[in-house]
Amino acid sequence: MTARTVLKNEWRLLMADRPLQIALGLFLVLLGYALTNGVVWLRFQERTVEATTSGNVERASALQQELEAIEAGGQPSSPFADPRSPRVLGGPSGSHTAVLAPGPLAALAIGQGDLLPYYYDVNIYTNEASFQQNGEVENPLNLMVGRFDLAFAVVYLLPLLVLALSFNVLSEEREQGTLALTLSQPVSARSVVTVKLAFRALVVAGIVLGVSLLGALATGGFGSPGRLLLWSVTVVAYSLFWFALAAWVNALGRSSAWNATVLVGAWLVLVVVLPAAINAAAGLLHPQPSRVEMVTAQREASNDAVNRRSELLARYLEDHPEMAEGVVADEPGLGALSWAATDAVNGRLEEVAAEHDARRAEQTALVRRYRFLSPALLAQEALLDAAGTGDARFAHFQSQVRAFAEQWRDFFVPAILADEQMNASVLPNVPRFGVADEGSTDVARRATVPLGVLGGLLALVSAAAGVGLGRVRGAD
Amino acid sequence: MTDSHESNTGPKPLLEARGLTKDYGDTRALDSLDLAIAPGEVYCLLGPNGAGKTTTINLFLGFVAPSAGQALVSGLDVSTHDRESKRRLAYIPEQVMLYRNLSGIENLEYFAALGGQGSLGRERLVEILVEAGLDGDAAGRRVSTYSKGMRQKVGIAIAIAKEADALLLDEPTSGLDPTASSEFSALVERLRNRGVAVLMATHDLFRAKDTGTRVGIMHYGRLVTELSTAEVGHADLERIYLEHVSDNGGPR
């Protein structure tokens, strides 16, 4: 009865409070804008994926036609692009682009989707430098600031709305004098405040989840109910955390102005300062080697290889003076020599990349260890994971591309070393990339950590609020 | 004037204090108060600021916990029967503060429902507000447009709707004009006739004499004397009051 009574009263108060309605309306508009941004980005990604996929088909088809034409007595279009050469067929002109389709709820959270590559052009020259280009280590929140999407609105703005709705949930009753009249009835402050906050939480969660479901509906997200559930649970848990924090602060019995100051301070620390501080600490304690080092290593190794190749070529021509005139790049024997040089470059790059990876792993470990301090980081991690735009999915994709690049080399390099020519019959056997995306179970398993900690924080703050509200008796 | 306020043969008191004491740190705000208010009695607590009147009311409401003794409502100890005792109590503070954006009807509906009266229906709510003296046309208006007297009437309406055994009034006529004060007294009289026990803290000697059946004078947390309003005139009451609150018995 009490719950229904308080809920009804809250509804009336909301209906009579124009500024609050405007704030909610403004938030709704912002969510709509965020969702539109997400959908626009998703459509762009979808177009890119489509173009890349058809590019793969067109390239394979063109090579097949050219090989068949050559086998029928024709000439290659260029002596430097003879598709019979494994260095050409497995090189950039015959490359295969490995693509990761947008995540199931990508429209809800662009996340790092605009920073981490979702396609790689794989050929025999794909090396560690190809994977290092976009490996920027940065605080996930900072990365997210780049685009205004629903996840951004949830992580950054939702707490502010929650605080605006709840910073004075009890103090206002005390200040306007209704608390004494309320607590002279057979109800406790704890039960009244709980129902009041539950109503406001319903309003906030209703708006955010409503827009989220709309976005999912418009972009096919309902195909992944597990991820949608994870998204919804995260939104609700994160909202409740802020409501519980507001309840706790209200239970301290201070003024509304004091509550507002403390809660905005908490938002600033937990959402802005802590994530930035953790990121800064990671950079300070485990500084990433300069990217110039990687570029320099690549350049030096390439120069060395070029020099080495020239020496080898010179020796080769010295041994075969009859070949000194009219020599072509695809001269049998040159392929093997050239590949040896490429391999040397790759080896050197792997050494430098290993150093980069090790530092990055240390930074990531530090950020992951201390992300538990910030509910914003935890919520963001779970939201991006649910949307399929978190770094885990991209890392999973990248590891598959690495394996595919290895497979690609294994297919072509023996032919290069043996100076063999290829023909149209090998084309069906050329490796093709197919991503094995993560299952919902993997995502759910991974999400249990941030969600569990967020739930723990929520339980802790709720318990403190419950104890504090239990002490409110009406005459303080 | 009477020295005894409890009778073993009379009706069971609806409001009772037994050795009720409240300390705030080293300050004793209320000192061993013994008090019993029977159905149909209006007991007025008089005393200067800081005498312990509001503390007494807050103890009956369970807003503060006693340092010693008991506050009983219909025989229930407030400390151990918080909700049950509040079901039997109605309270009107000095300033009845309501939800300003809601109407008188909506405020009454809310507080009556919280008090355990369920959904009363609009007609009944208006009826109660009119009974409490509020103009029927004003009942549907936002409380932000109400005067203090109108808000006090909504407070009375909340008490009427609750059908409580006992009514606690904390300086309810403070700041009201004489007409509104008089109307208020008439409403209290009506509740008294229904058998409600009323405890009213007030500075208003005239109102206490006019509305109360008994008067207790408090000073520095102690009930220094009690008298029946039927036995004293206005002038006597003022003289006795001044005698007892002259600053000669400082706080212990």
Side-chain angles (χ1 to χ4, degrees):
Chain A
M1 182 58 213
T2 303
R4 210 172 64 199
T5 302
V6 178
L7 283 176
K8 188 175 175 183
N9 202 53
E10 282 296 299
W11 175 254
R12 281 179 172 162
L13 289 171
L14 175 63
M15 288 298 101
D17 193 336
R18 189 55 59 85
L20 199 59
Q21 289 170 16
I22 291 172
L24 287 172
L26 187 66
F27 185 63
L28 190 60
V29 169
L30 285 173
L31 290 185
Y33 172 63
L35 180 61
T36 308
N37 258 348
V39 172
V40 167
W41 172 252
L42 174 68
R43 297 297 179 229
F44 168 75
Q45 267 194 319
E46 283 173 346
R47 282 196 301 275
T48 308
V49 168
E50 198 182 324
T52 309
T53 309
S54 52
N56 277 339
V57 174
E58 283 164 16
R59 260 196 314 278
S61 168
L63 283 168
Q64 173 129 18
Q65 283 176 16
E66 193 173 357
L67 278 170
E68 283 170 357
I70 291 169
E71 282 163 24
Q75 288 297 312
S77 56
S78 158
F80 296 100
D82 186 343
R84 289 171 299 178
S85 162
R87 286 197 295 135
V88 172
L89 199 59
S93 46
S95 65
H96 181 83
T97 308
V99 187
L100 177 68
L105 300 178
L108 307 189
I110 297 167
Q112 300 178 44
D114 58 343
L115 288 161
L116 298 176
Y118 54 98
Y119 61 89
Y120 288 98
D121 206 27
V122 175
N123 57 63
I124 53 169
Y125 301 112
T126 300
N127 56 30
E128 278 305 318
S130 317
F131 296 111
Q132 297 290 333
Q133 296 302 324
N134 296 287
E136 189 69 40
V137 170
E138 179 60 284
N139 182 318
L141 277 179
N142 292 349
L143 289 174
M144 191 178 65
V145 170
R147 281 177 189 269
F148 188 87
D149 59 6
L150 263 187
F152 173 88
V154 168
V155 174
Y156 267 87
L157 303 184
L158 181 140
L160 289 176
L161 179 71
V162 169
L163 297 184
L165 287 172
S166 57
F167 78 97
N168 61 353
V169 65
L170 186 64
S171 57
E172 185 189 31
E173 296 267 350
R174 188 182 288 110
E175 286 159 4
Q176 72 184 8
T178 45
L179 183 64
L181 206 52
T182 300
L183 295 185
S184 69
Q185 311 303 332
V187 292
S188 66
R190 182 161 47 201
S191 59
V192 171
V193 168
T194 303
V195 178
K196 284 168 89 73
L197 290 182
F199 171 79
R200 294 162 202 213
L202 272 175
V203 172
V204 172
I207 291 175
V208 177
L209 293 182
V211 173
S212 303
L213 294 178
L214 193 71
L217 188 68
T219 56
F222 275 92
S224 301
R227 286 173 180 272
L228 209 49
L229 181 67
L230 173 61
W231 173 278
S232 305
V233 169
T234 307
V235 168
V236 171
Y238 188 57
S239 310
L240 289 181
F241 169 82
W242 289 101
F243 275 115
L245 191 66
W248 184 17
V249 170
N250 268 272
L252 299 177
R254 308 293 288 267
S255 69
S256 295
W258 189 87
N259 291 353
T261 308
V262 167
L263 288 168
V264 168
W267 174 84
L268 198 65
V269 169
L270 296 177
V271 179
V272 180
V273 176
L274 260 179
I278 293 170
N279 186 51
L284 201 67
L285 295 173
H286 307 289
Q288 185 78 359
S290 165
R291 201 163 296 283
V292 175
E293 198 180 308
M294 170 72 84
V295 175
T296 307
Q298 186 172 19
R299 195 169 295 157
E300 284 173 354
S302 299
N303 287 343
D304 183 53
V306 168
N307 291 338
R308 192 176 156 205
R309 191 170 59 175
S310 300
E311 286 168 22
L312 291 171
L313 181 61
R315 196 175 303 136
Y316 179 81
L317 293 176
E318 200 177 19
D319 293 344
H320 303 84
E322 70 281 7
M323 299 294 289
E325 217 168 286
V327 66
V328 294
D330 293 331
E331 182 66 22
L334 275 183
L337 296 173
S338 176
W339 179 252
T342 302
D343 197 48
V345 173
N346 289 349
R348 174 71 189 118
L349 287 178
E350 275 170 20
E351 286 171 22
V352 180
E355 175 66 14
H356 278 252
D357 288 345
R359 293 294 172 83
R360 187 178 300 133
E362 286 169 346
Q363 287 190 347
T364 306
L366 189 140
V367 169
R368 289 182 70 79
R369 194 178 313 130
Y370 291 105
R371 77 196 195 279
F372 299 127
L373 296 174
S374 166
L377 281 177
L378 294 167
Q380 198 230 6
E381 182 183 335
L383 288 176
L384 294 193
D385 233 355
T389 49
D391 54 3
R393 183 166 180 257
F394 286 97
H396 184 63
F397 166 63
Q398 201 180 62
S399 73
Q400 290 180 69
V401 177
R402 271 198 171 90
F404 175 65
E406 189 69 35
Q407 195 187 354
W408 186 271
R409 277 194 297 270
D410 288 349
F411 186 84
F412 288 102
V413 169
I416 293 171
L417 295 176
D419 286 336
E420 286 176 4
Q421 284 206 328
M422 307 194 103
N423 55 44
S425 67
V426 303
L427 283 178
N429 301 324
V430 171
R432 288 286 174 261
F433 182 78
V435 69
D437 213 346
E438 298 177 305
S440 291
T441 321
D442 300 322
V443 178
R445 197 181 303 120
R446 202 165 49 233
T448 51
V449 178
L451 269 188
V453 177
L454 190 58
L457 288 174
L458 170 61
L460 208 65
V461 177
S462 299
V467 170
L469 289 170
R471 292 188 183 130
V472 176
R473 308 186 72 160
D476 42 359
Chain B
M1 194 186 301
T2 56
D3 290 323
S4 166
H5 50 73
E6 194 168 346
S7 165
N8 291 329
T9 53
K12 194 177 169 187
L14 294 176
L15 289 172
E16 191 177 2
R18 292 180 187 163
L20 196 58
T21 302
K22 180 63 188 176
D23 295 327
Y24 289 106
D26 294 335
T27 306
R28 177 148 290 184
L30 190 64
D31 191 359
S32 304
L33 176 70
D34 289 306
L35 187 71
I37 306 170
E41 264 200 295
V42 178
Y43 192 107
C44 294
L45 282 177
L46 289 171
N49 291 332
K53 304 184 298 294
T54 298
T55 300
T56 304
I57 286 181
N58 284 340
L59 283 160
F60 274 110
L61 284 165
F63 285 180
V64 290
S67 305
Q70 288 177 301
L72 300 133
V73 177
S74 301
L76 297 168
D77 188 338
V78 170
S79 298
T80 53
H81 297 79
D82 182 64
R83 294 202 183 186
E84 291 88 339
S85 60
K86 280 180 179 168
R87 273 195 196 96
R88 293 165 169 80
L89 271 181
Y91 167 59
I92 301 177
E94 180 181 355
Q95 300 257 7
V96 173
M97 300 308 291
L98 304 162
Y99 292 103
R100 293 171 54 80
N101 287 343
L102 303 186
S103 68
I105 297 172
E106 288 167 336
N107 270 286
L108 173 59
E109 184 183 9
Y110 174 61
F111 286 110
L114 275 191
Q117 293 305 302
S119 186
L120 290 173
R122 190 179 173 86
E123 272 183 36
R124 175 68 187 134
L125 292 167
V126 173
E127 209 174 278
I128 295 170
L129 284 166
V130 170
E131 185 187 346
L134 193 73
D135 185 70
D137 294 336
R141 287 209 318 259
R142 280 192 176 194
V143 163
S144 56
T145 64
Y146 284 17
S147 66
K148 183 186 174 187
M150 291 165 83
R151 292 203 309 273
Q152 295 298 96
K153 285 169 184 171
V154 176
I156 282 277
I158 291 168
I160 293 172
K162 199 170 181 183
E163 296 173 353
D165 295 344
L167 177 60
L168 301 172
L169 304 170
D170 191 1
E171 305 190 19
T173 56
S174 165
L176 290 186
D177 63 49
T179 311
S181 291
S182 179
E183 284 174 4
F184 191 85
S185 295
L187 287 165
V188 172
E189 178 72 15
R190 218 177 297 163
L191 289 171
R192 185 177 85 81
N193 291 336
R194 289 180 190 171
V196 175
V198 181
L199 174 62
M200 177 162 76
T202 182
H203 288 295
D204 187 344
L205 300 185
F206 176 82
R207 195 62 51 200
K209 159 70 182 138
D210 194 44
T211 315
T213 53
R214 271 196 297 156
V215 168
I217 298 175
M218 298 188 78
H219 195 40
Y220 288 125
R222 279 175 290 160
L223 184 66
V224 290
T225 191
E226 266 193 339
L227 34 109
S228 164
T229 53
E231 296 171 10
V232 292
H234 285 107
D236 294 333
L237 180 58
E238 185 173 8
R239 180 180 50 77
I240 295 165
Y241 176 82
L242 290 173
E243 276 173 15
H244 283 91
V245 301
S246 59
D247 210 357
N248 57 2
R252 285 194 241 170

